[in-house]
């Protein structure tokens, strides 16, 4: 078994879990919801095993780096992080319908990685040989994942708000109050993680190049994302922004997050071009 | 009248700087304007802008300082506004918070209780003093030590947890100012420069970006060696390394310190980072030249020179690769015939000395040594503000987690005598996470009830 095969199994697991969650929305069967959750757990375990195995594969090739160094590795870790945050939220809220709006992010990420990206394990160029890289990637992606969950909950919120939830399709959705809370709690988890991600990135840059901040496009975009979520939290804490406006801001914030992660590499130029 | 007008104007200005609207305005404007600098490349030569945007637009960019926008007056102004907002908010709110934390109402009246979270009233058969003892113990065990106050025949209990959590927001906000202070210190008392050191030589001065005159270091840095290594069988660089010594006052204080890209050298607050490298003059090589059927002879020479061969011809080396198609270091060379005809170029590998005999020329060449004199390019940096920045980052992370997760919780209980028994009023407040506090108070309420209902004399 190679790690790439395990990643394929992970992708299939996430696909099945996603379909089951959607089936749950339609059928309202608790058994389907439970099965979906179990499949999601199994997929998460496979994802974990695959990342670990890839680490060992790298070691066997004589590279000591953590498997977090190129676009392929970062996106499978992103999928792992999304599941991690989602399953944490599921343990707390047990609102299975949310899965139908979060699993697609993980599934899309895995599919793109498996179909479109180079999965070779390559040694690191000198600029990336640092433990700071590992801390930086882990904190950033856990933060991004929390924002993904917040975005999923916000989309659901916008679908059900002002709708009658007594009966019909939307009655299986969590109440708008719960969705709003999931949105807010996820951002509250994600924000300190993003802060930590930016700080570890700055610490690394300072250690490697002697400048902790150089306004490179990736850095600047991470700061833009930080500003957006800071605005979200302040609007919430002191002006009581909740509900619709909060949901839109959260979706907008996640769009900026994705741009920061992918758009900057694909559209703009700068330092962080994943070793290309 | 005029005075009043003035105060309202002053108040308006103060309110403006303290308002959260201004905060959100600053955050959003910074986010939006920052985008400009990521779309339009920064600090490029003027010509490049003219090529992409045309003369007129480039002039506009220059006027608005968009090509160096993170140092533009309007961007720095926005950051300044952001700081003023933060400072004025704290000045306005902090004293109120200190007062409210230090002087909680110890004897609240009935209407105050009604405004509290989880407000409840119980009737108990217990005499007030016994109720006080039991409730005080319960609070002490389950929440925090209670403070007892007696007023107008009513017994008041007050207990609170983590009052200092109120200040975590201010720690967070202060941390942002600290980061700015650190950045300013770095800008004023620090510098950023570069220097190239040829292998085997030393320097005692460095050059700041865009400045003509060098900056004296006050000590010397020598480069013993620079090397590039590659991953097995490829062009992918594995390591750029320089071996450096520091000589201060004629003493070698640091010897043979190897620096690589992620591992710099620091001395007296000045840090040297591996940054670039290049060739410094012609390279020398050592070769064994073996005539067909004869025995070999060692020849040394300089790259580019024509070196005579016994048959009247000559050879020259004119290229080197540290890694040639997975076979390791190699030189490119050619042989000239005695009548001066230029032969075809061929490649000789250092790791395969027997290889060249198979070419079938009059002479077989084996590369023994190749010394390319190189220089190492170092980034030199001094930043006395960096620790202030890290302190700020540390405070920001812990401050913001505390601001989100820790709550200042307070509980009040009033015990009013009623006949032989008493009436107990109960309620609390929290400054964060009301939902969790509600659940907590629900549990506490049940315990209070059972404590109060236990027969007198028992616990
Ligand atoms: C890590 C970043 C930040 C965190 C975690 C944070 C947290 C908070 C919190 C929790 C509050 C609510 C205070 C309360 O409950 O009374 C608050 C208020 C406020 N924040 Fe921030 N903040 C951050 C950054 C900023 C920044 C960058 C500004 C920029 C100007 C700012 C300006 C303000 C202002 C003006 C208020 C209202 C002041 C008040 O009502 O006391 N904050 N912040």
């Amino acid at each position: 078994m190679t790690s790439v095969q395990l990643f394929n199994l992970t992708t299939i697991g996430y696909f099945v879990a996603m379909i089951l969650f959607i089936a749950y929305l339609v059928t309202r069967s608790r058994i389907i919801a439970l099965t979906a959750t179990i499949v999601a757990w199994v997929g998460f375990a496979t994802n974990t095993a695959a990342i670990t195995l890839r680490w060992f594969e790298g070691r066997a090739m004589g590279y000591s780096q953590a498997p977090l160094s190129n676009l392929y590795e970062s996106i499978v870790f992103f999928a792992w992080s999304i599941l991690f945050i989602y399953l944490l939220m599921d343990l707390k809220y047990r609102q299975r319908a949310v899965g139908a709006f979060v699993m697609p992010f993980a599934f899309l990420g895995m599919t793109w990685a498996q179909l479109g990206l180079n999965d070779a394990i390559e040694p690191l160029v000198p600029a990336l040989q640092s433990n700071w890289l590992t801390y930086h990637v882990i904190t950033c992606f856990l933060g991004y994942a929390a924002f993904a969950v917040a975005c999923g909950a916000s989309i659901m919120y916008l679908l059900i708000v002002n709708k009658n939830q007594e009966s019909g399709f939307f009655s299986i959705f969590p109440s708008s109050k719960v969705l709003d809370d999931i949105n807010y709690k996820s951002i509250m988890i994600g924000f300190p993680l993003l802060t930590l991600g930016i700080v570890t990135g700055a610490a690394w840059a300072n250690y490697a190049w002697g400048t902790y901040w150089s306004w490179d496009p990736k850095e600047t975009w991470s700061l833009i994302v930080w500003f957006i979520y800071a605005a979200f939290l302040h609007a919430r804490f002191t002006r009581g922004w909740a509900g619709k406006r909060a949901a839109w801001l959260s979706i907008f914030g996640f769009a900026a997050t994705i741009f920061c992660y992918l758009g900057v590499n694909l559209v703009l130029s700068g330092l962080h071009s994943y070793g290309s | 009248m005029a005075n009043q007008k003035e105060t309202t104007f002053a108040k308006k200005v103060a309110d403006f700087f303290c308002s959260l609207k201004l905060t959100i305005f600053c955050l959003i404007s910074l986010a939006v304007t920052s985008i400009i600098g990521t779309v339009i490349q920064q600090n490029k030569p003027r010509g490049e802008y003219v090529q992409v945007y045309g003369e007129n637009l480039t002039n506009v960019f220059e006027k608005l300082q968009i090509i160096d926008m993170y140092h533009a007056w309007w961007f720095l102004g926005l950051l300044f506004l952001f700081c003023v907002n933060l400072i004025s908010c704290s000045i306005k709110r902090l004293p109120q918070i200190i007062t409210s934390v230090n002087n909680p109402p110890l004897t609240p009246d009935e209407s105050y209780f009604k405004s509290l979270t989880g407000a409840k009233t119980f009737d108990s058969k217990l005499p007030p003093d016994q109720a006080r003892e039991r409730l005080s113990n319960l609070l002490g065990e389950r929440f925090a030590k209670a403070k007892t106050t007696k007023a107008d025949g009513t017994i008041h209990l007050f207990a609170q947890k983590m009052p200092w959590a109120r200040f975590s927001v201010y720690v967070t906000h202060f941390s942002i100012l600290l980061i700015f202070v650190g950045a300013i210190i770095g800008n004023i008392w620090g510098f950023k420069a570069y220097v190239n050191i040829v292998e085997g030589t030393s320097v005692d001065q460095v050059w700041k970006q865009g400045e003509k005159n060098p900056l004296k270091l006050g000590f010397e840095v020598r480069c013993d060696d620079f090397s590039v290594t590659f991953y097995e069988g490829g062009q992918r660089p594995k390591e750029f390394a320089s071996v450096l010594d520091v000589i201060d006052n004629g003493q070698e204080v640091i010897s043979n310190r190897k620096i690589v890209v992620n591992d710099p050298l620091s001395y007296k607050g000045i840090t040297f980072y591996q940054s670039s490298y290049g060739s410094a003059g012609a390279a020398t090589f050592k070769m064994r030249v073996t005539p067909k059927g004869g025995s070999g002879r060692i020849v040394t020479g300089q790259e580019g020179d024509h070196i005579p061969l016994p048959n009247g011809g000559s050879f020259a080396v004119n290229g080197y690769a540290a890694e040639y198609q997975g076979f390791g270091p190699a030189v490119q060379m050619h042989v000239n015939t005695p009548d001066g005809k230029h032969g075809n170029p061929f490649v000789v590998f250092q790791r395969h000395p027997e290889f060249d005999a198979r070419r079938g020329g009059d002479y077989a060449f084996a590369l023994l040594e190749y010394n390319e004199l190189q220089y190492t390019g170092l980034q030199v940096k001094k930043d006395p503000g960096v620790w202030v920045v890290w302190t700020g980052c540390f405070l920001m992370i812990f401050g913001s987690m505390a601001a989100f997760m820790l709550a200042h919780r307070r509980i009040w209980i009033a015990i009013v005598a009623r006949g032989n028994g008493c009436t107990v009023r109960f309620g609390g407040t929290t400054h964060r996470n009301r939902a969790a506090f509600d659940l907590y108070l629900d549990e506490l309420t049940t315990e209070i009830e059972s404590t109060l209902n236990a027969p007198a004399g028992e616990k």
Side-chain angles (χ1 to χ4, degrees):
Chain A
M1 194 67 121
T2 66
S3 64
V4 173
Q5 286 170 319
L6 277 181
F7 282 124
N8 271 327
L9 289 181
T10 309
T11 314
I12 296 170
Y14 290 167
F15 178 70
V16 173
M18 179 179 81
I19 296 297
L20 286 171
F21 277 120
I22 293 170
Y24 167 61
L25 293 186
V26 182
T27 61
R28 298 144 188 281
S29 150
R30 288 176 149 259
I31 296 179
I32 292 187
L34 188 64
T35 320
T37 307
I38 292 171
V39 175
W41 273 104
V42 172
F44 178 64
T46 318
N47 200 343
T48 314
I51 292 175
T52 317
L53 182 59
R54 194 174 169 89
W55 200 324
F56 283 108
E57 287 170 355
R59 294 234 153 161
M61 293 165 76
Y63 314 139
S64 59
Q65 73 223 32
L68 299 168
S69 59
N70 57 22
L71 189 54
Y72 176 84
E73 289 174 349
S74 78
I75 207 149
V76 298
F77 183 71
F78 187 28
W80 184 91
S81 312
I82 291 176
L83 263 284
F84 179 75
I85 302 280
Y86 166 72
L87 292 171
L88 273 185
M89 286 287 168
D90 182 66
L91 289 178
K92 179 166 158 61
Y93 289 93
R94 306 211 168 270
Q95 294 288 354
R96 266 59 206 258
V98 177
F101 289 82
V102 175
M103 287 308 294
F105 292 126
F107 170 66
L108 282 179
M110 287 302 296
T111 311
W112 184 43
Q114 292 302 87
L115 296 180
L117 297 176
N118 174 13
D119 61 19
I121 301 181
E122 278 165 351
L124 293 181
V125 293
L128 298 180
Q129 293 163 8
S130 170
N131 282 337
W132 283 110
L133 171 67
T134 313
Y135 310 138
H136 175 56
V137 172
I138 289 178
T139 47
C140 281
F141 280 98
L142 284 173
Y144 293 175
F147 299 147
V149 173
C151 174
S154 296
I155 294 173
M156 293 177 84
Y157 182 94
L158 292 176
L159 286 176
I160 60 157
V161 72
N162 300 334
K163 295 228 169 63
N164 177 12
Q165 269 194 281
E166 307 267 291
S167 61
F169 182 70
F170 292 114
S171 61
I172 198 112
F173 279 44
S175 70
S176 56
K177 217 173 144 186
V178 170
L179 288 172
D180 186 55
D181 197 43
I182 294 178
N183 182 23
Y184 164 60
K185 290 268 159 60
S186 308
I187 290 176
M188 223 165 63
I189 293 172
F191 187 73
L193 284 167
L194 176 66
T195 312
L196 206 54
I198 296 176
V199 171
T200 50
W204 176 24
N206 187 61
Y207 188 57
W209 296 288
T211 13
Y212 48 83
W213 196 262
S214 51
W215 293 105
D216 133 284
K218 191 96 173 176
E219 280 173 357
T220 309
W221 268 95
S222 68
L223 192 66
I224 291 168
V225 172
W226 192 84
F227 284 142
I228 294 174
Y229 286 107
F232 175 99
L233 289 168
H234 283 83
R236 178 129 196 155
F237 276 134
T238 45
R239 313 226 99 202
W241 268 39
K244 249 179 163 168
R245 286 189 289 187
W248 276 117
L249 200 50
S250 166
I251 292 172
F252 181 65
F254 187 60
T257 306
I258 291 297
F259 188 81
C260 174
Y261 174 28
L262 299 172
V264 173
N265 297 102
L266 304 177
V267 182
L268 306 171
S269 55
L271 272 177
H272 288 69
S273 34
Y274 287 108
S276 64
Chain B
M1 192 64 205
N3 203 348
Q4 198 174 353
K5 226 179 199 166
E6 234 167 72
T7 50
T8 52
F9 178 71
K11 192 173 161 347
K12 266 190 185 149
V13 171
D15 281 351
F16 168 76
F17 282 116
C18 293
S19 74
L20 195 77
K21 273 195 192 134
L22 181 62
T23 311
I24 296 181
F25 167 81
C26 286
L27 286 170
I28 304 259
S29 325
L30 282 169
V32 172
T33 51
S34 297
I35 295 176
I36 300 172
T38 69
V39 176
I40 299 170
Q41 295 211 0
Q42 298 288 297
N43 296 313
K44 298 274 166 206
R46 187 171 196 280
E48 288 187 27
Y49 295 103
V50 177
Q51 208 170 23
V52 179
Y53 301 101
E55 188 72 41
N56 290 338
L57 212 48
T58 303
N59 287 339
V60 174
F61 285 178
E62 276 183 337
K63 274 247 163 57
L64 295 177
Q65 293 174 280
I66 281 176
I67 50 189
D68 187 18
M69 68 151 273
Y70 302 111
H71 304 104
W73 64 268
W74 51 269
F75 192 76
L76 294 178
L78 209 48
L79 285 176
F80 183 72
L81 189 62
F82 186 73
C83 293
V84 170
N85 180 218
L86 212 51
I87 295 169
S88 22
C89 260
S90 304
I91 291 176
K92 187 176 167 194
R93 294 271 305 231
L94 204 49
Q96 291 174 16
I97 302 230
I98 293 174
T99 319
S100 86
V101 168
N102 284 343
N103 306 311
L106 290 175
T107 58
D109 61 12
E110 202 172 340
S111 67
Y112 190 85
F113 271 97
K114 290 210 173 100
S115 71
L116 295 177
T117 301
K120 276 257 164 55
T121 307
F122 316 93
D123 285 332
S124 168
K125 295 193 185 74
L126 293 176
D129 264 327
Q130 209 166 14
R132 177 194 58 80
E133 198 188 327
R134 289 188 185 182
L135 291 174
S136 181
N137 287 341
L138 181 72
L139 279 183
E141 269 168 39
R142 304 281 285 110
F143 186 67
K145 199 169 164 338
K147 183 169 178 158
T148 311
T149 318
K150 284 188 185 163
D152 302 332
T154 304
I155 303 171
H156 293 274
L157 299 179
F158 168 74
Q160 63 177 347
K161 255 185 156 164
M162 292 199 265
W164 44 266
R166 283 287 178 94
F167 299 103
S168 47
V169 171
Y170 297 93
V171 171
T172 311
H173 290 165
F174 172 70
S175 74
I176 294 169
L177 299 175
L178 209 54
I179 291 172
F180 282 126
V181 169
I184 292 169
I185 292 176
N187 266 310
I188 297 177
W189 287 288
F191 64 79
K192 204 169 150 182
Y194 66 92
V195 65
N196 294 335
I197 313 178
V198 176
E199 286 172 309
T201 67
S202 60
V203 297
D204 61 356
Q205 53 191 17
V206 296
W207 279 264
K208 287 208 234 179
Q209 247 123 38
E211 279 184 30
K212 271 212 180 115
N213 295 325
L215 189 79
K216 288 270 178 216
L217 284 173
F219 54 88
E220 269 181 68
V221 182
R222 185 170 62 220
C223 174
D224 294 334
D225 184 40
F226 173 81
S227 61
V228 190
T229 49
F230 294 85
Y231 285 106
E232 197 94 1
Q235 299 282 335
R236 208 178 172 84
K238 182 175 184 180
E239 190 179 82
F240 303 108
S242 303
V243 177
L244 303 182
D245 312 310
V246 175
I247 300 129
D248 196 355
N249 258 330
Q251 292 267 10
E252 188 161 316
V253 283
I254 296 179
S255 296
N256 295 328
R257 168 71 155 79
K258 178 169 142 182
I259 68 161
V260 298
V261 173
N262 266 295
D263 189 10
L265 159 75
S266 282
Y267 183 69
K268 288 198 167 164
I270 300 177
T271 310
F272 298 84
Y273 302 85
Q274 181 66 54
S275 154
S276 63
Y277 67 100
S279 151
T284 58
F285 59 82
K286 194 190 260 182
M287 274 196 171
R288 189 172 55 239
V289 183
T290 317
K292 223 179 219 166
S295 59
R297 182 166 74 86
I298 306 284
V299 175
T300 56
Q302 224 180 42
E303 188 169 319
D305 287 355
H306 278 117
I307 295 155
L309 286 167
N311 68 357
S314 66
F315 75 94
V317 168
N318 36 24
Y320 174 78
E323 179 54 58
Y324 186 83
Q325 294 182 358
F327 293 102
V331 288
Q332 193 190 50
M333 56 185 295
H334 65 265
V335 177
N336 299 321
T337 56
D339 49 4
K341 240 177 76 192
H342 203 290
N344 287 331
F346 55 93
V347 173
V348 171
F349 301 99
Q350 187 165 13
R351 291 208 196 118
H352 305 279
E354 73 298 336
F355 220 73
D356 192 51
R358 297 191 211 160
R359 186 171 44 88
D362 291 336
Y363 292 90
F365 298 88
L367 179 63
L368 303 177
E369 239 175 59
Y370 185 90
N371 287 312
E372 192 176 22
L373 203 55
Q374 284 172 310
Y375 69 83
T376 180
L378 304 177
Q379 187 83 253
V380 186
K381 174 89 192 222
K382 178 176 172 183
D383 189 349
V386 77
W387 290 106
V388 181
V389 172
W390 295 145
T391 310
C393 291
F394 181 85
L395 289 179
M396 177 185 288
I397 287 159
F398 287 93
S400 63
M401 294 213 285
F404 296 153
M405 288 166 201
L406 304 183
H408 175 207
R409 294 175 162 186
R410 301 195 274 188
I411 291 178
W412 285 269
I413 294 177
I415 304 163
V416 190
R418 187 187 49 89
N420 285 336
C422 60
T423 299
V424 171
R425 284 194 285 269
F426 166 80
T429 59
T430 180
H431 96 294
R432 277 276 176 277
N433 206 353
R434 166 92 187 264
F437 191 55
D438 280 344
L439 288 179
Y440 176 79
L441 286 187
D442 280 348
E443 276 173 35
L444 200 59
T445 311
T446 352
E447 286 190 46
I448 288 177
E449 239 165 337
S450 62
T451 308
L452 290 175
N453 288 338
E458 270 179 44
K459 271 267 163 165

